[in-house]
Amino acid sequence: MTPIIEAKNLTKQYGDVVTVDRVNFKVEENKIYGLLGRNGAGKTTIMHMLTAQQFVSSGEIRVFGELPFENNNVLERICFIKESQKYPDNFTVRDVLDTAADVYRNWDRAYALSLVEKFELPLKRQVKKLSRGMLSAVGIIIGLASRAPLTIFDEPYLGLDAVARQMFYDSLLADYAEYPRTVLLSTHLIDEVSNLLEHVLLIDGGKLLIDEEAEALRGRVYTVSGPKAAVEVFASGRKVLDSQSLGGMIQMTIENGHSDELGQDEAEALGLSVTPVSLQQLCVSYMKRHTVSNKEGK
Amino acid sequence: MGPSMDDNRPIFVQIAERIEDDIIEGTLLEEAQAPSTTHIAAFYRINPATAAKGVNLLVDEGILYKKRGIGMFVATGARQIAVNKRKEQFYEQYIITMIREAQRLGITTDQLKEMIQKGESN
């Protein structure tokens, strides 16, 4: 089956600066993907290239099997919600939703209105007079009610408080369960979304560091702490992502190899203390390690 | 996020365990309908595919079965299967760990037996 998105050696370059560096990945149909990484890692550039808002410097990106540039067949099946979406100044919330209803083929008006109520949006108010959080809610409503085959959320919740973000996650899960579609969720609030994701793509410095099922990443990385000598014996031959010492004690962040799934048990049998690592901490360790190896390479 | 999941193990395994808990405790009876993956996903705030994977694990073990077009049901004999599985885990998780720690502290098998009896009478 054709993947929904396929990037092959995808690269974006401005003069000497490479912001996306030979990235390869596939996005399969009807899964929720997390596109994770720090600000400036290249996430937004990738999303812009796949929605034909920026040119590809080299390599290629295909969406629904086709090149997206000036390709209505691709673009009409995508709903892209950006961090700071601009709307015409004189538009009310109702005008924005009416426009969205015209643009998106699968638009569900009743569902959109139920979300307006849920997020307590004033339909008659002009968009320019909305608070930052309300403006984000408008984007979220469009993203959900459009039910586009490929829905992309790029940090959609600036100004939204924890309660409203939770409403977004719950609405996304419920509607996705009923109307499966491909969702690409770009965020740096990794802990909040980690259980929603089926697949994780981690970008750092324009490179793809992780392309893996979210479930496969659980338990992959853990920290081991204890007396320095004992931890070092355990860690030798294993992949150490990070280490911190305090006096005679040391704590190491360790990645399990594919053939070494019992690493944690072995550490415990040695009397070392083992702590699981969340997806967010895992991403941070990968990015720290990547930054260090980049500096050493230069 | 929802009722908390432990970071160390796959979520689908934990979902399967929670359904097993309900069956062992009798809150979910044999031949009763099990919660749907949509409900599980919403309740635990997890991806529906992950919830489905947990449910399918129990189908493979003969604990749940599918009635076409209706949903998942608890199989007859499911409680016994779940209890047996837990007994094996109990041995691995508690007995082996206990013996290992006892050896580390120099506790003999007889002393261990005494401690268990003392614990039971409490």
Side-chain angles (χ1 to χ4, degrees), chain A residues 32 166 169-170 173 176-177 191-193 195-198 215 218-219 264-265 269 271 276-279, chain B residues 1-2 5-14 38 41-42 44-50 53 100 104:
Chain A
I32 302 180
Q166 190 65 69
Y169 303 137
D170 287 352
L173 268 186
Y176 165 81
D191 272 344
E192 285 193 1
V193 302
N195 291 358
L196 308 187
L197 306 177
E198 187 165 353
E215 286 280 85
R218 291 190 153 255
Q264 281 116 306
D265 295 348
V277 154
S278 70
L279 181 64
Chain B
M1 299 272 42
M5 292 285 157
D6 129 28
D7 274 325
N8 207 10
R9 297 175 309 135
I11 297 176
F12 77 92
V13 174
Q14 301 181 55
T38 307
Y44 290 107
R45 293 181 161 137
I46 57 168
N47 189 292
T50 312
K53 213 172 158 188
R100 202 182 275 152
R104 207 159 72 104

Side-chain angles (χ1 to χ4, degrees), chain A residues 30-34 79 81 111 114-115 118-119 139-154 156-157 163-187 192-198, chain B residues 1 38 41-42 45-49:
Chain A
N30 295 347
K31 290 187 178 179
I32 302 180
Y33 281 72
C79 178
I81 302 303
Y111 179 53
S114 76
L115 291 170
K118 211 173 186 179
F119 285 94
I140 282 170
I141 292 169
I142 294 171
L144 292 172
S146 66
R147 298 209 176 114
L150 173 57
T151 305
I152 306 169
F153 290 104
D154 184 10
Y157 28 50
V163 176
R165 291 202 301 274
Q166 190 65 69
M167 282 191 327
F168 165 53
Y169 303 137
D170 287 352
S171 307
L172 173 65
L173 268 186
D175 202 59
Y176 165 81
E178 211 172 332
Y179 301 93
R181 57 233 202 222
T182 310
V183 177
L184 193 59
L185 182 59
S186 166
T187 180
E192 285 193 1
V193 302
S194 64
N195 291 358
L196 308 187
L197 306 177
E198 187 165 353
Chain B
M1 299 272 42
T38 307
R45 293 181 161 137
I46 57 168
N47 189 292

Side-chain angles (χ1 to χ4, degrees), chain A residues 21-39:
Chain A
D21 191 2
R22 289 162 291 163
V23 165
N24 293 287
F25 66 88
K26 282 181 194 168
V27 166
E28 289 168 24
E29 192 176 22
N30 295 347
K31 290 187 178 179
I32 302 180
Y33 281 72
L35 184 57
L36 312 177
R38 306 171 68 178
N39 295 329

Side-chain angles (χ1 to χ4, degrees), chain B:
Chain B
M1 299 272 42
S4 66
M5 292 285 157
D6 129 28
D7 274 325
N8 207 10
R9 297 175 309 135
I11 297 176
F12 77 92
V13 174
Q14 301 181 55
I15 291 298
E17 283 174 0
R18 304 227 177 156
I19 298 172
E20 280 170 2
D21 283 341
D22 287 344
I23 294 171
I24 290 170
E25 283 155 21
T27 40
L28 196 54
L29 295 172
E30 292 182 358
E31 295 307 323
Q33 185 162 11
S36 71
T37 53
T38 307
H39 271 114
I40 297 169
F43 183 76
Y44 290 107
R45 293 181 161 137
I46 57 168
N47 189 292
T50 312
K53 213 172 158 188
V55 167
N56 287 336
L57 187 67
L58 297 179
V59 172
D60 291 344
E61 289 172 350
I63 291 174
L64 298 183
Y65 69 97
K66 189 176 189 171
K67 274 190 193 169
R68 216 163 271 282
I70 310 178
M72 291 293 176
F73 286 77
V74 182
T76 301
R79 190 174 179 277
Q80 198 53 51
I81 300 174
V83 167
N84 288 346
K85 192 174 150 191
R86 287 303 167 87
K87 280 182 181 168
E88 278 171 36
Q89 284 174 1
F90 177 81
Y91 179 76
E92 291 290 329
Q93 262 176 21
Y94 297 98
I95 304 298
I96 297 295
T97 315
M98 178 178 76
I99 291 171
R100 202 182 275 152
E101 181 71 3
Q103 283 167 347
R104 207 159 72 104
L105 299 175
I107 300 170
T108 66
T109 307
D110 283 338
Q111 285 169 325
L112 210 50
K113 281 182 191 159
E114 257 173 56
M115 285 167 121
I116 290 170
Q117 278 162 357
K118 191 178 158 200
E120 275 178 338
S121 60
N122 263 345

Side-chain angles (χ1 to χ4, degrees), chain A residues 60-72:
Chain A
E60 152 183 302
I61 190 156
R62 285 182 179 268
V63 187
F64 301 108
E66 300 176 31
L67 298 175
F69 199 74
E70 288 185 344
N71 186 342
N72 235 353

